Amino acid sequence: LRQKYLGRIAEAGTEAALEELRLAAVGKKGEVSLAMRELGRMTPEERQVEGPRLNALKDEINSALAAKKAALEDAALDERLRAEWLDVTLPGRPRPQGTIHPVSQVTEEVTAILADMGFAVAEGPQIEDDWYNFDALNIPSHHPARTEMDTFYMAGKDGDNRPPHVLRTHTSPVQIRSMQQHGAPLRIICPGRVYRADYDQTHTPMFHQVEGLAIDRDISMANLKWVLEEFFSAFFGTKVKTRFRASHFPFTEPSAEVDIQCSWEGGTVRVGEGDGWLEVLGSGMVHPKVLQAGGIDPAVWQGFAFGMGIDRMAMLKYGIPDLRAFFDSDLRWLRHYGFSA
Ligand code: PHE
């Protein structure tokens, strides 16, 4: 018995095998335990010899088990230390990091500057019904502006008698939605996507605008000019002069197109210097019919509105010549302009 178990314990390769041996030898039904139970049937003389012998065997087996168990645990630990060895002097593996897209960056910047000036951010749907996109903005059904805007119309299913929907061609419908929701006085901006069927170096079928709208009892064009000059100076980080040119939009009266001061040297545009001008936005005093459509009384309230191309601002700020590249998702281009790692 002694030889059998001490030999097997020495050979055991796993803790599970060791546990099996323990049960087989000194467990309740183990061989040593059974032999000890036989003691009762022996004569006192026999028992005096066999008793101590079996006890000694039991102790010996138990300590052999414990010693082997410790040895197996040591070996397992050694193996883990060997396998999980880590060279902390190795250089780290570079992990490519995404960055914020330039259009999103500029949207955030524009929003932050105007928010600091007291404008709240408003939102509206990109699929707009044509009343908000046109009629409420004083662009009736057969107005030429509807075709000039290269509108994408949403086809309704047969039997769909909802009013026609369009992909909004500008952020101006949010003027109406905000007036309806909040009434006057009101000071909001709305950055977002707009859509027109147009494609060339400076036009993509989807682009971004930010709308501005301020309504109060005594708002004037002078407030508009101040807001815009403050905005452009903050955005370009240098004092920027603006020039207002008389223009026409159905939803503003009077209307003005706004140019910013810049220089053109060898094809690069520098904002805030020189004696050139660059058109960047449309604006004006909100037309009384538009206030009415928004549920605001034009006899009491007046306001200014402006709409500016965000992508255009990004092109100017980063010196990017082709608008289409913004939406190509070409990593080489993004890296070239430092927009991606
Ligand atoms: N919605 C006009 C456009 O997209 C811009 C604009 C906004 C003009 C607000 C005047 C006032 O061209």
Side-chain angles (χ1 to χ4, degrees):
L1 225 50
R2 180 174 179 275
Q3 228 126 50
K4 174 174 162 188
Y5 281 107
L6 292 183
R8 287 195 186 169
I9 288 169
E11 275 160 26
T14 64
E15 291 190 44
L18 210 56
E19 176 62 10
E20 260 176 52
L21 285 170
R22 190 185 67 77
L23 291 171
V26 297
K28 258 193 194 148
K29 292 177 183 159
E31 280 195 273
V32 178
S33 313
L34 292 179
M36 284 174 125
R37 236 169 276 163
E38 295 298 310
L39 289 174
R41 279 195 242 138
M42 291 177 185
T43 62
E45 293 75 27
E46 281 173 328
R47 209 180 296 140
Q48 244 171 20
V49 181
E50 280 302 300
R53 217 171 62 83
L54 282 172
N55 267 326
L57 176 60
K58 189 178 170 187
D59 288 346
E60 199 174 2
I61 287 176
N62 274 331
S63 51
L65 283 167
K68 183 67 184 184
K69 187 161 185 241
L72 284 175
E73 280 170 358
D74 278 357
L77 183 60
D78 283 348
E79 173 58 22
R80 260 188 69 192
L81 288 173
R82 201 190 54 75
E84 294 173 13
W85 181 81
L86 198 65
D87 184 351
V88 294
T89 67
L90 279 176
R93 274 176 225 155
R95 248 192 287 165
Q97 251 191 333
T99 50
I100 310 283
H101 190 276
V103 171
S104 304
Q105 275 183 41
V106 168
T107 304
E108 280 171 23
E109 258 177 84
V110 166
T111 306
I113 295 169
L114 291 166
D116 272 353
M117 295 168 80
F119 289 86
V121 177
E123 274 183 298
Q126 295 179 35
I127 297 174
E128 189 55 281
D129 76 48
D130 72 350
W131 186 82
Y132 282 102
N133 198 80
F134 295 121
D135 301 76
L137 291 164
N138 195 29
I139 314 174
S141 280
H142 297 289
H143 196 282
R146 291 213 183 187
T147 41
E148 274 161 29
M149 279 204 180
D150 303 305
T151 311
F152 285 112
Y153 284 89
M154 310 290 290
K157 290 210 185 88
D158 283 344
D160 182 350
N161 22 351
R162 286 178 302 173
H165 283 64
V166 298
L167 291 180
R168 69 179 179 197
T169 56
H170 50 180
T171 42
S172 299
V174 183
Q175 288 189 30
I176 307 294
R177 290 184 177 276
S178 304
M179 290 182 211
Q180 289 179 331
Q181 227 182 323
H182 305 292
L186 186 62
R187 216 183 292 175
I188 56 107
I189 52 167
C190 169
R193 294 186 166 179
V194 300
Y195 302 84
R196 291 180 202 178
D198 204 354
Y199 188 72
D200 62 31
Q201 191 170 343
T202 52
H203 297 90
T204 50
M206 184 281 298
F207 60 104
H208 301 82
Q209 287 190 333
V210 60
E211 192 82 8
L213 173 66
I215 296 175
D216 214 320
R217 289 172 198 277
D218 52 4
I219 294 270
S220 75
M221 292 286 265
N223 301 126
L224 171 63
K225 187 162 170 101
W226 180 84
V227 164
L228 291 177
E229 288 193 349
E230 283 292 306
F231 167 75
F232 287 120
S233 301
F235 181 76
F236 290 105
T238 177
K239 179 97 197 112
V240 179
K241 281 192 204 144
T242 61
R243 183 175 74 172
F244 279 47
R245 274 181 298 105
S247 182
H248 176 265
F249 299 101
F251 33 92
T252 45
E253 182 58 35
S255 302
E257 271 170 330
V258 177
D259 303 337
I260 52 176
Q261 173 202 10
C262 69
S263 71
W264 315 76
E265 256 169 55
T268 31
V269 182
R270 284 207 176 71
V271 176
E273 58 180 64
D275 49 13
W277 296 100
L278 187 71
E279 184 197 322
V280 289
L281 61 82
S283 66
M285 296 303 291
V286 181
H287 195 289
K289 283 190 179 170
V290 173
L291 291 171
Q292 255 158 358
I296 289 176
D297 182 358
V300 182
W301 306 96
Q302 50 191 340
F304 69 68
F306 63 86
M308 178 169 61
I310 291 180
D311 321 81
R312 180 76 74 83
M313 288 296 119
M315 289 169 80
L316 284 173
K317 185 153 182 174
Y318 297 109
I320 291 162
D322 193 328
L323 172 66
R324 294 170 294 194
F326 276 132
F327 310 117
D328 284 344
S329 302
D330 184 337
L331 276 178
R332 292 167 306 174
W333 181 87
L334 288 163
R335 280 190 200 110
H336 174 76
Y337 284 99
F339 295 131
S340 183

